[in-house]
Amino acid sequence: MALPLSKIRDLSFKTSIYGIEERIVLDIGSCYLKCGFSGEARPRHFLSMFLSEEALDDYLGLNAISEQHVGHECGESCNLRSNQNCRGINPYEYAELYQLDMMRKNSSGQTEQERLQILEERLADYLNDVYFKYLLTDPKQRKVIICESPLAPIALKESIAKVLFEKLQVPSVSFTPNHLLALLTTGTATGLVIDCGHLETTVLPIYSSRPLMPFIRTTPRAGKFLSTHLKQLLKEKCPISLVDNPTDLRIIPEGMLTSAFLETIKTRLLFASPLIINARDNIGEDEMNNNYRDVSTSTEVNVEVWLHEEQARGKLAIPGWIRERASECLFNGDEDAESLTDVILETVSKVPSDLRRPMISSLLLIGGTAQLPNLQNRLLQEIRRSLQTNKRWKALSGLADAVRFLDDFTPAEASLAAAAAAATSTSAAGLGASSSSPMDVDPETSAPPRTTTRDKDPRKKKKDQPKKVYQSSGKVFMPNCRGWIGGSLVGSLKSSGPELLRENFTGTVPDWSTFTVVSASSGLYSSQSTSSSSTGLHQQQQQPLHSEGTLAASALSISY
Amino acid sequence: MLAIDAPPGQGKTHQPFVHYRCLCSSPGSSATASTKSSSSSIHDHEADSTAAGTSSAADMNIDNTAASSSSPAPSSAGALIVRASPTSHESLFSEHHNPRSTEEIFASGNSSDEHGSMSLSRLYFCDSCGEIRCPKCTQDEIVCYYCPNCLFDVPTASVKSEKHKCSRNCFECPICQNTLSVVSDDPDVSLYTPGMTTAAGQYHLSCNMCQWNSNEIGMTFDKPTGLAVQLQKAEDGLPDVKEFGRLKDHLEKYFRVHGLKQGLPSSLLSSIQSGTLQSLRYVSSTNHKAQQSDDIAHYTPAVQVVEDTENLEKLMSITSLDETTSMKQRLLQLQNQTYSTQRLQPQRIHLRIKKSRRCRSCRHILVNPEQKAQATRFKINLVALNQLPNITIAHIQPMIVQTVSTVILRFTNPRQEEAHVSLEAGDGANPNHGVRILSENFTIAPFNEVWEYEVGTLTAPPGQAQEDVYDKTANSTSIMLYITPVAPGEVKIPLFVTFSFKARKLQTETGSPKLPSQLVLSGAAGRDSMPPAPEVEYVDKKVSFWTVIGFGDAVPTLSS
């Protein structure tokens, strides 16, 4: 070789000035859309499908409301039909971009065809904005990487591809599994990825960069579930008092509890309580709520609202216990919707036994709902507690000491950090101690929750131990961006999932669940195989397509 | 009983509008889908029709001259929505474009469904296709980049490296996203002179809107210039960028090893043939030699970021919503998405682009602005407003079911040629309201700049007043319609407009789109009022399109 490898690498990584090498990385969720260029450490933009913040301020605040085009900046492609359908009757309502059951008829009687049409129009709007308002780049020049959830409806993928190819004319699109991408951002390729998003939580074990699809498990306990639960709590427990007459209490009008309102409360006020309270079997919900109230140490927050019917200001008092316990619904499961803990442990128990320990010692929590402060620590405690106390997981109880999140510190690091934190000790200990209540507080798990990770200033710490070799990078990336960052990483290495070229687009997209469809058009892959086979990422999906597509598909269907 | 005196703002009222329909959006399939959706929307209308009825005040006088100015300002009184559907013309020089026949157009758009319809100000008119084009059937292209704050053009070469943000002194407030200004602590120093020595950290950023000041977060500058560079450097030095770089190196090694290893795919294939799922099989063969090289090597992160646990304690003790950041503020700072308002940083202002627009079917440019950020002129400006008759509702009576109401529509001719218009009411509406057009064929006088200066009514040029129209002034003609609503709810009628005029014939046979009369510079400057030279040949041009006209809500008869 004439050049040392590192030189070649540097050259290949050099971002060109007019750079069309960088690909566009899109992570299209049902509530938020993340977009940016590959090779960058964070998405350029993170767009919300909720109301614009201004409109929300109007709503919470006291401004007169103009009903026209609330919720999105009215671009040129704004048209009445999509507006009405997106938001329903209430102009302050937003709609998720898609539902998981989008193939079915929904309550408002829209047929699948109509909904797809609306989806496409909205996607076209959003993606047009992405290119011409946010990324400011010509869609025809850059390839696109989509971070896809493995269980996203195929119709959604097809719509995305259709909009990108037909409206924007991008040269190629590759769908790459979100979980794997997120895992790569930790520098490893083995782990159990928990994507706690809006519509559902999916748990997928990945071994050596191969997603073990048959073991994927989901639960609806995710962001939307939390919103619904929060809505219920607010309605029942939080009356509005009029500012002019504080003794005059009103129930929150239904129309006020829009998704956007709930999202505001959720993202600004809620957190997961560091304290586990064991529910006794026969305890009623009300009693449990009382317990929560008694043990809560958080403050009440007043939110100013405008009561339309009364034409008066009101004050919505959200008590501390709701703020810390609303997320409790993610940890309390039932037959219909398993709790996060159960769905994780269920996955672990189903994987081959020699993989259980590697899996449970490399958990990775990603997704928007994972942004909830303290959720991860709480989940860790819950998993440990379940392993120790729950009979259902008795077979796994030996793994209790191995539970670890990839972005938490290893025990050794943790103790170092704890020592550092001891100096700058905060009031955290008071938190665990203050709970002398009638319930049974699990002493073991409620022990100062991860006080170990307390450290005020990471930079300061780095100075203290400049030569330290880290095991874990900690929370360097936000959980809701990890999937995107993985896409950016993979894109900067000139690899990705199987690429679908515009010339070859026939309306269908490759999906792991439809191998037969894909293998019919496998010629498409062979043209791509030179670029993507070098990745090693997708061989297990891609290679079988040529020869054994149907066989693999049948294997999959059996294992379900 | 009737909600005629219901307070405004209660319930949903429909404003009168005139929309032109662009048939690009699914002419065929929308016929079925649209019938369905329109019937369901009628349902909604019935539900709130009690509260409606107040909208159609008699003073719906939408001034035509305002609308004919080049800025697409929607009238506040009620949106005029005119939807352009396919238009065809049978001019000699564009036969090769296969214009759709009038009958075909008539069949495709005969419905009062508004889907795909827009106000005229949003639409374009492609000369070479002879059809209305909406934003969906046109394609955007980037012309130039500029900063919306300082209006400096940014050369394409530096756009990418500066991350599409202004590299001059333009910043936006992290709290309210307003523009920040650079101020000095010393009130006497109004201007910075390079030679002068100033105190270190004398300059800071300040928001005139919310009074935020960068001193609050300890951000000060020694010089009032070059701040953007400092900010961008700080952003690029954050831990996530470093970690990303490390990850890239790490994965690149891994991918490279894989690219060279040829044995891997075959081993995968053989595992499939044995009937197990490839990934499982592969995983369980732990002593497989490939395993070692297959998995990613151990990774050591470049940085270690400790979770900010202070966050949680703070969150537990807040008392108002304002103490946490809103989603919008958070999403502008993606590296940490902090909850604490103290940690928000000012952001550089995002660039914008000027766009040109092409017709998707014939690739001709419809709109092309001048390249300079500060110029507001267009090189090519084929907006529909300058080429199609502008329909406005000049007078309207309240709609009452089974009662004849009179409506006056005014047609304004923006062209410099006299135009003939013939109207036809569609019968595909649902419900099909009774419509009687008093004068179905009429002419409109050509546009003449002189008209703009004339005040008062002008009668039609002599010799042309024989038509039975309601009114004829300057370059507009008004006609009368009798509407008999058959059902309560919003009254919308489809109206088929055929517009014919004599256009100057092109010299070339290829049919360049730029007819002199249609190459309109922005403003009135392009409308050269020079009389056409007598030797110019004229051809008849005919354009047909659908409009949907809404007349507000119909109320039930008083007797019901």
Side-chain angles (χ1 to χ4, degrees), chain A residues 9 44 54 76 80-81 121 134 136 167 169 207 267 299 323 409 413 453-454 470 540, chain B residues 114-115 139 145 164 240 252 278 291 304 306 313 315-316 318 324 328 330 350 357 360:
Chain A
R9 202 180 69 222
R44 280 289 180 85
E54 288 85 0
E76 291 198 22
L80 281 172
R81 177 187 161 111
E121 279 176 25
Y134 297 106
L136 307 184
K167 301 266 181 213
Q169 309 199 310
Y207 188 83
T267 54
T299 50
R323 296 206 290 127
F409 297 137
E413 285 175 317
T453 56
R454 267 159 220 287
Y470 303 119
Q540 87 287 2
Chain B
E114 288 167 59
H115 177 59
Q139 203 167 15
Y145 298 85
H164 297 99
D240 60 336
E252 199 260 342
Q278 69 281 16
Q291 160 120 31
Q304 189 162 43
V306 182
E313 285 148 37
L315 194 57
M316 287 175 83
I318 60 168
T324 53
K328 181 174 186 181
R330 219 174 282 169
H350 202 262
R357 202 150 247 196
R360 274 187 199 269

Side-chain angles (χ1 to χ4, degrees), chain A residues 466-524:
Chain A
K467 298 248 170 89
K468 184 167 162 40
V469 176
Y470 303 119
Q471 295 299 307
S472 151
S473 55
K475 310 276 188 294
V476 63
F477 300 124
M478 293 287 119
N480 59 357
C481 292
R482 271 201 193 262
W484 186 93
I485 294 168
S488 167
L489 255 181
V490 168
S492 69
L493 298 169
K494 312 272 180 295
S495 61
S496 63
E499 235 175 284
L500 179 58
L501 296 180
R502 183 169 74 220
E503 301 88 275
N504 296 330
F505 179 63
T506 54
T508 56
V509 292
D511 190 80
W512 63 272
S513 63
T514 55
F515 275 167
T516 41
V517 175
V518 173
S519 62
S521 59
S522 64
L524 181 152

Side-chain angles (χ1 to χ4, degrees), chain A residues 5 9 13 17-18 22 32 37 39-46 53-54 74 76 78-81 114 117 121 128 132-138 140 166-167 169 184-187 189-190 207-210 214-215 267-271 297-302 323 355 371 373-374 377 409 413 426 453-455 461 469-478 480-481 485 488-489 492-493 495 534-535 539-540 544 548 551, chain B residues 19 26 33 37 81 114-115 122 124 135-136 139-142 145 156-157 160 163-164 235 238-244 247-252 254-256 258-259 264-265 268-269 272-273 277-280 282-283 286 291 294-307 309-310 312-313 315-322 324-328 330-331 334-337 339 350-353 355 357 360:
Chain A
L5 268 178
R9 202 180 69 222
F13 283 168
I17 297 179
Y18 292 94
E22 289 91 11
Y32 292 94
F37 295 96
E40 294 184 3
R42 59 189 89 108
R44 280 289 180 85
H45 295 277
F46 201 115
E53 205 68 32
E54 288 85 0
C74 181
E76 291 198 22
C78 163
N79 85 42
L80 281 172
R81 177 187 161 111
E114 279 173 304
Q117 201 178 344
E121 279 176 25
N128 202 59
F132 292 106
K133 203 161 150 194
Y134 297 106
L135 299 183
L136 307 184
T137 189
D138 183 2
K140 276 173 287 198
E166 290 176 5
K167 301 266 181 213
Q169 309 199 310
L184 288 178
T185 62
T186 62
T190 299
Y207 188 83
S208 193
S209 79
R210 283 151 181 77
F215 304 119
T267 54
R268 297 180 74 167
L269 298 179
L270 294 195
F271 58 94
T297 55
S298 311
T299 50
E300 181 176 276
V301 173
N302 288 315
R323 296 206 290 127
L355 287 187
Q371 292 286 105
N374 202 42
N377 290 335
F409 297 137
E413 285 175 317
T426 49
T453 56
R454 267 159 220 287
D455 187 347
K461 183 172 169 238
V469 176
Y470 303 119
Q471 295 299 307
S472 151
S473 55
K475 310 276 188 294
V476 63
F477 300 124
M478 293 287 119
N480 59 357
C481 292
I485 294 168
S488 167
L489 255 181
S492 69
L493 298 169
S495 61
S534 64
T535 70
Q539 281 152 343
Q540 87 287 2
E548 302 293 329
L551 186 57
Chain B
H19 274 188
S26 60
S37 74
I81 311 168
E114 288 167 59
H115 177 59
R122 289 255 165 95
Y124 307 89
K136 276 184 200 158
Q139 203 167 15
D140 290 334
E141 276 164 25
I142 297 170
Y145 298 85
T156 319
K160 183 76 187 14
K163 304 215 161 178
H164 297 99
E235 258 169 52
L238 287 170
D240 60 336
V241 179
K242 286 184 199 146
E243 175 71 4
F244 189 86
L247 278 171
K248 206 157 78 169
D249 287 353
H250 178 72
L251 290 180
E252 199 260 342
Y254 166 64
F255 282 0
R256 198 176 53 227
H258 265 268
L264 190 63
L268 279 173
L269 282 179
I272 290 159
Q273 280 154 3
L277 194 70
Q278 69 281 16
S279 45
L280 287 190
Y282 189 65
V283 160
T286 42
Q291 160 120 31
D294 181 28
D295 205 352
I296 294 188
H298 184 70
Y299 172 70
T300 44
V303 292
Q304 189 162 43
V305 174
V306 182
E307 193 186 15
T309 42
E310 257 182 294
L312 181 63
E313 285 148 37
L315 194 57
M316 287 175 83
S317 55
I318 60 168
T319 54
S320 107
L321 202 60
D322 298 332
T324 53
T325 53
S326 73
M327 233 15 214
K328 181 174 186 181
R330 219 174 282 169
L331 295 183
L334 285 175
Q335 63 271 27
N336 55 8
Q337 299 181 33
Y339 266 67
H350 202 262
L351 299 181
R352 295 199 186 158
I353 51 171
K355 292 186 283 191
R357 202 150 247 196
R360 274 187 199 269

Side-chain angles (χ1 to χ4, degrees), chain A residues 145-167:
Chain A
I145 296 175
I146 310 262
C147 310
E148 56 142 355
S149 166
L151 296 182
I154 292 180
L156 171 73
K157 292 175 69 178
E158 284 171 352
S159 298
I160 293 173
K162 196 171 160 200
V163 169
L164 284 173
F165 284 133
E166 290 176 5
K167 301 266 181 213

